[in-house]
Amino acid sequence: MGKKQETKPDSEYGEPAEFDPAFNGPIKKRGCTDILCCILFMAVILGYIAVGILAWLFGDPRHVLYPRNSTGWFCGIGPNKGQPNLLYFDILKCATSVNVMATALNGFQCPTTQVCVDSCPTQFWAVGIQAYFPNVKPKDVFNQSLCVPSINLMNTTLVSPMLLPFVNFPVLAFVFIRDLVNGFNAREIGVRIFEDFASSWPWILLVSLAGIWHCYWEYANYKQASATISNIGFTTNFAVYLQVQETWLAFLIIISVVEAILLLTLIFLRTRILIAIALIQESSKAISHMMSSLLYPLVTFVLLLVCVAYWGATALYLATSGGPIYKVVALNSTLNDCKMINGTVDCDPQVSCPSASCIFIKYNNEGLFQRNLFNLQIYNVVAFLWCVNFVIALGQCTLAGAFSSYYWAFTKPADIPMFPVCGSFIRSLRYHVGSLAFGALILTLVQIVRMILEYIDHKTKAAQNPCARFILCCLKCCLWCLEKFIKFINRNAYIMIAIYGKNFCVSAKNAFSLLMRNVVRVVVLDKVTDLLLFFGKLLVVAGVGILSFFFFSGRILLPGSTFRSETLNYYWMPIITVVFGSYLIAHGFFSVYNMCVDTLFLCFLEDLERNDGSLQKPYFMSKNLMKILNKSNKAQKKGKGKD
C-alpha cells in the first residue's frame, strides 16, 4: 500500500489533522468546557445530597434491618440486645390466617405471639399445660425468655399455645478474603502468546490442513456405515459419535471454514495485525513507565463504592421514611389497655399495649415528603447512574491524558512529564467536569430507557402475544446496541478531550471522523485487543483458581500455617470467592491496559496524518511501527533521539 493511499483523506469524514509545530502532547493552555452541563451536574449533586439528608432525618432503617416482636420492640438492640432472633409461637397461623389478616390489617401480618430470643428452641408443645398436668406450673416448663415480657409465668391459669420453633432471621455476615496472588504479569504473557501466534502462523496453517485431511479420511472410512446421528440419538458415550460419518463431515466443514478465515485474514490484514501487535507492545512500555496508572483502578473502585453505598443508604432511609403505624391484634388479651382513636384501634407498641400484640402495619404516608417518596426514589436512581457514569468517564479521561503524554514525548522516557497520572487527573477535574458529565448524561438517559423497557416487559409478559414479544425484543436489542455505540463514542471523545481540551461534541466528532478514516485498522485492533485481554484474564483467573483449589483442598500447606482443609464444610465456596475476586482485580488492571491501547492508537493515527517523517515533521511513533509501515524519520530533532 503506497504512501498516498495510506494518508488519502476521505472527504465524507473530514480532513486529516494538520501539522502543528507547537504540538507535543496534551494541550497545557485550555479552558473550561461544557459549563452549562457542569452547572446542571453540580445542581443535581447538591439535590442528591439534600435528598440524602432528608432521608436520614425521616428514615429509620431499623425497620428493615431488625425484626420486631409482638410488642413492637426491635430484636437484637435496646432491651432485646443479645436476642437477635424472632420466634413465632404458632407458625401455622401465619399460613391459615393470611386472607383474614390481610383484610383486617391492610397488609400481611402473622397473628401469633412473637418474641425475641437468643436462639430458637428445638422442643415442640402442642397442648395446654394445665389441661393435662394441673399440678405443673408454667415456670416449671417454660423459660421466661420465650415469653412476652408482660406475661407472668407464676400465673397458674396460663395455657400455652402451640409453640413451634421457626427459622430465625439471619444476621448479615461479611467475610474478608485476602487475595492469594500479590501481583502478576499476565499482559506480558498475553503479548508473547500473540507474538508467538504471529510468528508461527505457517505451522498453524499446516496443522489445520492436516486436520482437514484427517477429517476427510475418517469421513471416507465411515462412508459405508449405516449408523447416523438420528439413529443414535443422545448418549453420554461420546465415542459412539466418532463412528458416525456425519460427525466427521461436521468437523471437516468447521475446520475448513476456520482455515479459510485465518488464511484470508493473514493474506489481506497481515500488516494491520502487525500494527495492532506493535501498539500492544508499546502499551506495555507505556505502562512500565507509568506504574502509578495500575493503581488508578483503586481510585475508581473507591469512588464507585461511595456511589453505591450512598445510593443504597439513601434508598433504605427513603423506604423507611414516615412514622410506623401499629394496630392491636387480640390473641389471649383484651383491648382494655389500648386507647380508641376516631373509632379505630391504635397503639404504642412500647407503652399503650403491653399485654397485647401491637403489630406494625405500614409507614405513615401523610405529609409532603412521604407523598413524594416514589419520585425521590426515581431521583435517587437517576442521580446514582449519572454519578457512576461520571466516575468511569473521569477515569478514562485521566488515563487517556497520561498515556497520550507518553506517546507525544519524542524522547522516551526523558520527555515524559512528571507525575503524568496526577497531572491528567487535575486537568480533568479543573477544566472538563462539564464535558465528562455531558457524556455520562447521554449514557444515563439510554440506560434509563432500557430499564423502563425492561420493566414494561416484565409487567406485561403474561399478556404479550408473539408480535408484542418480537417488537419488545427488537427494541431491547436496538437499545443495547445504542448503549454500546455511545460507550464507544464517549470513550474516544474522552481521549480527544484529554489531549486537546475541546468540548464534548467537538471531541466526539473529531474522534469519530478519525476512526472512520481508518475503519479497517479500528476493527482489526479492536478484535486483536479483545483476544489479548481475554487471554490475559483467562490466565489470571485460571492460575488463581488452580492455586486456590490446591490450597483450600489441603493439597498445598504453607509453612507455619494453622489452616486445615478439614475445618471447611465446603471448600469450593472460598475457591469461588477467590476466583470471582481475581476476575474483578484482573478486569480492573486490564481496563487500564485497554485504555492505553485505545489512546495510543488514536495518537498513532493522528501522528500519521500530522507528520511525514521529514526534518520539520518527524514521526513520534516507535521504530517498530515505522518499520512495519516502511517509514522512517529522515533526521532526528536536534538534541533528541528516538528509542
Side-chain angles (χ1 to χ4, degrees), residues 340 494 637:
M340 304 295 293
Y494 299 148
K637 285 186 177 181

Side-chain angles (χ1 to χ4, degrees), residues 1-301:
M1 186 175 291
K3 180 178 179 181
K4 291 184 179 179
Q5 191 174 354
E6 282 283 339
T7 60
K8 182 179 179 180
D10 189 346
S11 58
E12 184 179 355
Y13 299 108
E15 298 294 330
E18 297 181 356
F19 172 71
D20 183 2
F23 178 77
N24 60 351
I27 303 298
K28 301 297 187 296
K29 295 182 179 180
R30 57 178 72 194
C32 296
T33 55
D34 295 306
I35 299 176
L36 291 178
C37 194
C38 178
I39 296 174
L40 176 61
F41 182 65
M42 292 301 176
V44 169
I45 294 297
L46 292 177
Y48 200 17
I49 295 174
V51 170
I53 294 174
L54 290 175
W56 182 77
L57 291 176
F58 289 96
D60 187 358
R62 294 181 302 173
H63 297 304
V64 294
L65 295 179
Y66 301 99
R68 285 177 177 269
N69 61 13
S70 296
T71 58
W73 291 78
F74 293 110
C75 296
I77 59 174
N80 295 314
K81 187 177 182 180
Q83 297 176 319
N85 304 313
L86 185 65
L87 176 67
Y88 288 74
F89 269 33
D90 190 355
I91 193 65
L92 296 179
K93 289 186 178 181
C94 298
T96 58
S97 303
V98 172
N99 295 331
V100 176
M101 298 307 297
T103 303
L105 301 178
N106 191 25
F108 172 71
Q109 297 291 337
C110 188
T112 185
T113 303
Q114 304 159 34
V115 296
C116 300
V117 296
D118 54 351
S119 62
C120 293
T122 57
Q123 294 177 303
F124 294 79
W125 292 273
V127 296
I129 299 172
Q130 278 72 25
Y132 293 91
F133 305 99
N135 297 325
V136 178
K137 295 183 180 297
K139 67 181 181 63
D140 299 327
V141 179
F142 295 106
N143 190 325
Q144 179 68 52
S145 63
L146 298 179
C147 300
V148 177
S150 60
I151 293 179
N152 185 4
L153 292 181
M154 297 300 294
N155 184 1
T156 57
T157 63
L158 175 67
V159 178
S160 171
M162 179 182 291
L163 180 62
L164 296 175
F166 187 59
V167 179
N168 63 308
F169 281 75
V171 179
L172 295 178
F174 298 90
V175 180
F176 176 79
I177 298 177
R178 181 174 297 178
D179 200 342
L180 295 177
V181 179
N182 293 325
F184 56 88
N185 198 22
R187 67 174 184 279
E188 294 290 346
I189 297 175
V191 171
R192 292 172 183 172
I193 289 175
F194 213 87
E195 289 177 347
D196 294 340
F197 172 79
S199 60
S200 61
W201 63 268
W203 292 101
I204 295 176
L205 292 179
L206 287 176
V207 172
S208 300
L209 290 174
I212 292 175
W213 179 84
H214 178 74
C215 291
Y216 177 77
W217 184 76
E218 293 287 353
Y219 172 77
N221 284 343
Y222 292 104
K223 193 172 184 179
Q224 304 300 327
S226 59
T228 61
I229 295 293
S230 59
N231 293 336
I232 295 175
F234 177 77
T235 177
T236 56
N237 185 10
F238 294 101
V240 175
Y241 293 110
L242 297 179
Q243 301 176 5
V244 179
Q245 184 186 27
E246 296 172 352
T247 303
W248 293 104
L249 177 61
F251 287 161
L252 177 63
I253 295 174
I254 293 173
I255 297 178
S256 299
V257 171
V258 173
E259 178 82 1
I261 293 174
L262 288 176
L263 188 62
L264 293 175
T265 301
L266 291 172
I267 290 175
F268 295 102
L269 301 176
R270 181 175 180 273
T271 301
R272 290 180 170 85
I273 292 176
L274 292 177
I275 292 174
I277 295 174
L279 282 171
I280 292 170
Q281 292 174 329
E282 196 68 16
S283 299
S284 299
K285 294 179 183 179
I287 294 176
S288 66
H289 289 300
M290 302 177 183
M291 295 302 294
S292 59
S293 62
L294 292 176
L295 299 177
Y296 191 84
L298 298 178
V299 178
T300 301
F301 174 76

Side-chain angles (χ1 to χ4, degrees), residues 460-514:
T460 62
K461 188 175 291 292
Q464 292 174 7
N465 55 33
C467 181
R469 286 196 296 269
F470 174 76
I471 294 175
L472 283 174
C473 183
C474 292
L475 289 175
K476 290 193 291 186
C477 181
C478 292
L479 286 174
W480 180 85
C481 294
L482 179 60
E483 182 179 351
K484 293 296 182 183
F485 177 74
I486 290 177
K487 286 182 178 179
F488 174 77
I489 292 297
N490 285 1
R491 185 184 184 88
N492 291 280
Y494 299 148
I495 296 174
M496 287 298 195
I497 291 172
I499 298 175
Y500 300 105
K502 297 182 180 179
N503 61 47
F504 177 82
C505 294
V506 173
S507 299
K509 174 181 176 296
N510 292 339
F512 181 76
S513 299
L514 178 63

Side-chain angles (χ1 to χ4, degrees), residues 449-460:
V449 175
R450 286 193 65 192
M451 293 172 62
I452 294 174
L453 192 61
E454 290 288 347
Y455 177 80
I456 295 174
D457 184 28
H458 176 72
K459 288 296 184 180
T460 62

Side-chain angles (χ1 to χ4, degrees), residues 228-524:
T228 61
I229 295 293
S230 59
N231 293 336
I232 295 175
F234 177 77
T235 177
T236 56
N237 185 10
F238 294 101
V240 175
Y241 293 110
L242 297 179
Q243 301 176 5
V244 179
Q245 184 186 27
E246 296 172 352
T247 303
W248 293 104
L249 177 61
F251 287 161
L252 177 63
I253 295 174
I254 293 173
I255 297 178
S256 299
V257 171
V258 173
E259 178 82 1
I261 293 174
L262 288 176
L263 188 62
L264 293 175
T265 301
L266 291 172
I267 290 175
F268 295 102
L269 301 176
R270 181 175 180 273
T271 301
R272 290 180 170 85
I273 292 176
L274 292 177
I275 292 174
I277 295 174
L279 282 171
I280 292 170
Q281 292 174 329
E282 196 68 16
S283 299
S284 299
K285 294 179 183 179
I287 294 176
S288 66
H289 289 300
M290 302 177 183
M291 295 302 294
S292 59
S293 62
L294 292 176
L295 299 177
Y296 191 84
L298 298 178
V299 178
T300 301
F301 174 76
V302 171
L303 293 177
L304 291 177
L305 189 63
V306 170
C307 293
V308 173
Y310 187 83
W311 165 78
T314 303
L316 179 61
Y317 275 87
L318 285 175
T320 57
S321 296
I325 298 177
Y326 304 91
K327 286 188 179 180
V328 173
V329 177
L331 300 173
N332 297 319
S333 59
T334 64
L335 304 180
N336 295 330
D337 295 329
C338 301
K339 56 184 178 179
M340 304 295 293
I341 300 178
N342 296 329
T344 61
V345 179
D346 197 1
C347 62
D348 185 335
Q350 300 177 10
V351 178
S352 302
C353 307
S355 61
S357 295
C358 188
I359 297 179
F360 165 77
I361 301 300
K362 63 178 181 177
Y363 296 104
N364 184 14
N365 56 4
E366 300 296 330
L368 180 63
F369 181 77
Q370 283 74 24
R371 288 197 301 269
N372 289 278
L373 286 180
F374 179 77
N375 297 331
L376 293 176
Q377 289 284 20
I378 296 297
Y379 184 89
N380 183 29
V381 173
V382 174
F384 165 72
L385 291 176
W386 198 358
C387 290
V388 166
N389 290 325
F390 175 82
V391 169
I392 296 174
L394 177 62
Q396 293 176 347
C397 190
T398 298
L399 293 176
F403 294 133
S404 62
S405 65
Y406 166 84
Y407 185 93
W408 296 110
F410 194 81
T411 304
K412 304 175 180 63
D415 291 345
I416 300 176
M418 292 289 292
F419 307 111
V421 177
C422 293
S424 180
F425 180 76
I426 294 173
R427 282 198 305 269
S428 300
L429 284 181
R430 181 179 178 183
Y431 298 108
H432 306 303
V433 170
S435 297
L436 301 180
F438 192 6
L441 177 61
I442 297 174
L443 182 59
T444 300
L445 294 177
V446 175
Q447 291 172 342
I448 292 173
V449 175
R450 286 193 65 192
M451 293 172 62
I452 294 174
L453 192 61
E454 290 288 347
Y455 177 80
I456 295 174
D457 184 28
H458 176 72
K459 288 296 184 180
T460 62
K461 188 175 291 292
Q464 292 174 7
N465 55 33
C467 181
R469 286 196 296 269
F470 174 76
I471 294 175
L472 283 174
C473 183
C474 292
L475 289 175
K476 290 193 291 186
C477 181
C478 292
L479 286 174
W480 180 85
C481 294
L482 179 60
E483 182 179 351
K484 293 296 182 183
F485 177 74
I486 290 177
K487 286 182 178 179
F488 174 77
I489 292 297
N490 285 1
R491 185 184 184 88
N492 291 280
Y494 299 148
I495 296 174
M496 287 298 195
I497 291 172
I499 298 175
Y500 300 105
K502 297 182 180 179
N503 61 47
F504 177 82
C505 294
V506 173
S507 299
K509 174 181 176 296
N510 292 339
F512 181 76
S513 299
L514 178 63
L515 294 174
M516 291 305 297
R517 292 197 295 267
N518 302 270
V519 63
V520 178
R521 285 174 177 164
V522 172
V523 174
V524 173

